[in-house]
């Protein structure tokens, strides 16, 4: 079947449409951005079921560590008065800039809000970037985050260290991440 680039045709089965390749790519990118935004909202509200199912979760020394990565452009689209617009020194605008979010929970399921958290993000085999993850209060929840540049597709190793008040040593969780 020949598809005219200007017109989408109905398929014989199910009445769906065949889109030109350029439209498919644009739709795929839009859906990826939407999924990243939904992931960020899920983490901010706890999002434990989604995170556990997608490998974005570890339990270390009884502490639940969840993480998410989304394009920095998402935070940059907020209104100028929105706190996410200015957090971490402001959202970078580069196409390779991403926001790392971390949520921590204790054994009882209570959100941990008073930890000192840092993360190292490194493409495998390369030197990494270490940054403090700053507390982020969004509505009634606290998560931790900062911006990182991810120049290649990965895979990346994300090492999260959380020093809890009164703990002798930090909790460390190591994740593998690949840009999609």
């Amino acid at each position: 079947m020949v598809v005219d680039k200007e017109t989408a045709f109905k398929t014989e089965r199910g009445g769906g449409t065949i889109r030109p390749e350029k439209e498919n790519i644009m739709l795929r990118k839009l859906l990826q951005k939407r999924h990243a935004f939904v992931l960020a909202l899920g983490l901010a509200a706890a999002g434990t079921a989604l995170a556990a199912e997608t490998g974005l979760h570890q339990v270390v020394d009884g502490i639940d560590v969840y993480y998410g990565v989304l394009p920095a452009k998402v935070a940059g689209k907020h209104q100028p008065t929105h706190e996410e617009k200015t957090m971490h020194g402001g959202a970078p605008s580069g196409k390779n800039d991403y926001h790392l979010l971390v949520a921590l929970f204790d054994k009882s399921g209570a959100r941990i809000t008073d930890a000192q958290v840092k993360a190292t993000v490194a493409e495998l085999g390369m030197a990494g970037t270490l940054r403090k993850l700053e507390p982020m209060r969004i509505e009634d929840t606290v998560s931790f985050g900062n911006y990182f540049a991810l120049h290649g597709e990965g895979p990346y190793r994300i090492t999260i260290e959380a020093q809890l008040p009164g703990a002798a040593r930090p909790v460390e969780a190591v994740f593998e991440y690949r840009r999609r």
Side-chain angles (χ1 to χ4, degrees):
M1 172 185 241
V2 177
V3 178
D4 177 359
K5 290 187 178 191
E6 300 298 318
T7 309
F9 294 95
K10 295 282 183 190
T11 60
E12 292 177 13
R13 291 193 198 135
T17 59
I18 299 174
R19 292 185 173 89
E21 187 61 27
K22 195 172 190 179
E23 278 186 45
N24 282 335
I25 292 169
M26 289 172 51
L27 180 60
R28 198 173 314 127
K29 286 182 179 181
L30 177 67
L31 289 174
Q32 286 173 344
K33 287 179 182 178
R34 188 175 128 226
H35 288 208
F37 182 71
V38 168
L39 173 64
L41 288 177
L43 277 174
T48 57
L50 175 64
E53 291 173 11
T54 57
L56 304 175
H57 168 251
Q58 284 184 29
V59 178
V60 181
D61 297 333
I63 304 298
D64 286 287
V65 181
Y66 294 88
Y67 88 99
V69 177
L70 66 148
K73 292 176 185 177
V74 172
K77 289 186 179 183
H78 288 291
Q79 296 297 322
T81 58
H82 194 280
E83 62 188 275
E84 285 186 50
K85 185 78 171 181
T86 58
M87 68 176 50
H88 320 310
S93 59
K95 70 176 185 173
N96 295 314
D97 293 319
Y98 287 80
H99 191 221
L100 173 65
L101 295 111
V102 173
L104 305 169
F105 298 86
D106 66 16
K107 292 176 185 177
S108 72
R111 188 179 286 266
I112 297 171
T113 61
D114 56 353
Q116 296 296 314
V117 184
K118 58 186 175 179
T120 303
V121 177
E123 198 161 5
L124 292 183
M126 304 296 283
T129 301
L130 171 67
R131 288 213 165 85
K132 176 184 177 184
L133 300 187
E134 299 170 352
M136 306 180 326
R137 179 168 296 284
I138 301 171
E139 301 206 9
D140 292 331
T141 64
V142 174
S143 297
F144 302 88
N146 211 329
Y147 295 106
F148 290 85
L150 305 179
H151 294 285
E153 293 298 315
Y156 289 89
R157 176 165 287 132
I158 299 175
T159 304
I160 299 166
E161 285 186 35
Q163 182 65 52
L164 306 176
R169 60 182 180 81
V171 170
E172 182 178 286
V174 180
F175 297 93
E176 188 174 302
Y177 174 77
R178 185 179 300 272
R179 280 178 47 181
R180 298 180 199 268

